[in-house]
PDB file of all heavy atoms in Angstrom:
ATOM      1  N   SER A 188      70.534  50.438 170.923  1.00  0.00           N
ATOM      2  CA  SER A 188      69.811  50.920 172.067  1.00  0.00           C
ATOM      3  C   SER A 188      70.415  50.431 173.369  1.00  0.00           C
ATOM      4  O   SER A 188      70.214  51.059 174.445  1.00  0.00           O
ATOM      5  CB  SER A 188      68.343  50.469 171.965  1.00  0.00           C
ATOM      6  OG  SER A 188      68.198  49.081 172.217  1.00  0.00           O
ATOM      7  N   PHE A 189      71.174  49.340 173.330  1.00  0.00           N
ATOM      8  CA  PHE A 189      71.763  48.805 174.552  1.00  0.00           C
ATOM      9  C   PHE A 189      72.989  49.608 175.011  1.00  0.00           C
ATOM     10  O   PHE A 189      73.626  49.329 176.050  1.00  0.00           O
ATOM     11  CB  PHE A 189      72.130  47.318 174.356  1.00  0.00           C
ATOM     12  CG  PHE A 189      70.957  46.409 174.279  1.00  0.00           C
ATOM     13  CD1 PHE A 189      70.491  45.970 173.050  1.00  0.00           C
ATOM     14  CD2 PHE A 189      70.300  46.042 175.425  1.00  0.00           C
ATOM     15  CE1 PHE A 189      69.384  45.159 172.956  1.00  0.00           C
ATOM     16  CE2 PHE A 189      69.146  45.210 175.375  1.00  0.00           C
ATOM     17  CZ  PHE A 189      68.698  44.764 174.113  1.00  0.00           C
ATOM     18  N   LYS A 190      73.389  50.625 174.215  1.00  0.00           N
ATOM     19  CA  LYS A 190      74.467  51.476 174.613  1.00  0.00           C
ATOM     20  C   LYS A 190      73.923  52.767 175.199  1.00  0.00           C
ATOM     21  O   LYS A 190      74.699  53.625 175.683  1.00  0.00           O
ATOM     22  CB  LYS A 190      75.383  51.790 173.424  1.00  0.00           C
ATOM     23  CG  LYS A 190      76.002  50.566 172.773  1.00  0.00           C
ATOM     24  CD  LYS A 190      77.148  50.939 171.842  1.00  0.00           C
ATOM     25  CE  LYS A 190      78.340  51.503 172.588  1.00  0.00           C
ATOM     26  NZ  LYS A 190      79.524  51.740 171.723  1.00  0.00           N
ATOM     27  N   LYS A 191      72.607  52.932 175.223  1.00  0.00           N
ATOM     28  CA  LYS A 191      72.013  54.141 175.774  1.00  0.00           C
ATOM     29  C   LYS A 191      71.772  54.010 177.240  1.00  0.00           C
ATOM     30  O   LYS A 191      71.543  52.936 177.753  1.00  0.00           O
ATOM     31  CB  LYS A 191      70.704  54.430 175.037  1.00  0.00           C
ATOM     32  CG  LYS A 191      70.888  54.712 173.543  1.00  0.00           C
ATOM     33  CD  LYS A 191      69.505  54.994 172.849  1.00  0.00           C
ATOM     34  CE  LYS A 191      69.669  55.258 171.379  1.00  0.00           C
ATOM     35  NZ  LYS A 191      68.364  55.453 170.716  1.00  0.00           N
ATOM     36  N   ALA A 192      71.749  55.114 177.940  1.00  0.00           N
ATOM     37  CA  ALA A 192      71.468  55.098 179.372  1.00  0.00           C
ATOM     38  C   ALA A 192      70.125  54.540 179.669  1.00  0.00           C
ATOM     39  O   ALA A 192      69.146  54.802 178.968  1.00  0.00           O
ATOM     40  CB  ALA A 192      71.569  56.553 179.895  1.00  0.00           C
ATOM     41  N   GLY A 193      70.082  53.647 180.694  1.00  0.00           N
ATOM     42  CA  GLY A 193      68.839  53.026 181.093  1.00  0.00           C
ATOM     43  C   GLY A 193      68.640  51.672 180.447  1.00  0.00           C
ATOM     44  O   GLY A 193      67.803  50.910 180.922  1.00  0.00           O
ATOM     45  N   ASN A 194      69.364  51.379 179.365  1.00  0.00           N
ATOM     46  CA  ASN A 194      69.234  50.064 178.703  1.00  0.00           C
ATOM     47  C   ASN A 194      70.500  49.251 178.742  1.00  0.00           C
ATOM     48  O   ASN A 194      70.668  48.285 177.974  1.00  0.00           O
ATOM     49  CB  ASN A 194      68.818  50.260 177.219  1.00  0.00           C
ATOM     50  CG  ASN A 194      67.378  50.773 177.124  1.00  0.00           C
ATOM     51  OD1 ASN A 194      66.552  50.498 177.961  1.00  0.00           O
ATOM     52  ND2 ASN A 194      67.153  51.522 176.063  1.00  0.00           N
ATOM     53  N   THR A 195      71.486  49.671 179.567  1.00  0.00           N
ATOM     54  CA  THR A 195      72.781  48.992 179.549  1.00  0.00           C
ATOM     55  C   THR A 195      72.620  47.574 180.092  1.00  0.00           C
ATOM     56  O   THR A 195      71.739  47.247 180.843  1.00  0.00           O
ATOM     57  CB  THR A 195      73.792  49.764 180.373  1.00  0.00           C
ATOM     58  OG1 THR A 195      73.242  49.965 181.713  1.00  0.00           O
ATOM     59  CG2 THR A 195      74.097  51.109 179.723  1.00  0.00           C
ATOM     60  N   LEU A 196      73.611  46.707 179.660  1.00  0.00           N
ATOM     61  CA  LEU A 196      73.643  45.306 180.053  1.00  0.00           C
ATOM     62  C   LEU A 196      74.637  45.086 181.172  1.00  0.00           C
ATOM     63  O   LEU A 196      75.480  45.938 181.404  1.00  0.00           O
ATOM     64  CB  LEU A 196      74.019  44.488 178.808  1.00  0.00           C
ATOM     65  CG  LEU A 196      73.050  44.550 177.663  1.00  0.00           C
ATOM     66  CD1 LEU A 196      73.685  43.984 176.403  1.00  0.00           C
ATOM     67  CD2 LEU A 196      71.724  43.876 177.971  1.00  0.00           C
ATOM     68  N   ARG A 304      63.973  41.137 175.135  1.00  0.00           N
ATOM     69  CA  ARG A 304      63.456  42.332 174.505  1.00  0.00           C
ATOM     70  C   ARG A 304      63.208  42.055 172.968  1.00  0.00           C
ATOM     71  O   ARG A 304      62.255  42.581 172.461  1.00  0.00           O
ATOM     72  CB  ARG A 304      64.477  43.478 174.626  1.00  0.00           C
ATOM     73  CG  ARG A 304      64.374  44.227 175.915  1.00  0.00           C
ATOM     74  CD  ARG A 304      65.197  45.511 175.922  1.00  0.00           C
ATOM     75  NE  ARG A 304      64.869  46.339 174.721  1.00  0.00           N
ATOM     76  CZ  ARG A 304      65.659  47.313 174.294  1.00  0.00           C
ATOM     77  NH1 ARG A 304      66.795  47.637 174.912  1.00  0.00           N
ATOM     78  NH2 ARG A 304      65.245  48.017 173.245  1.00  0.00           N
TER      79      ARG A 304
END
Side-chain angles (χ1 to χ4, degrees):
S188 72
F189 289 100
K190 299 193 70 174
K191 297 179 180 178
N194 291 330
T195 55
L196 299 166
R304 278 191 53 196

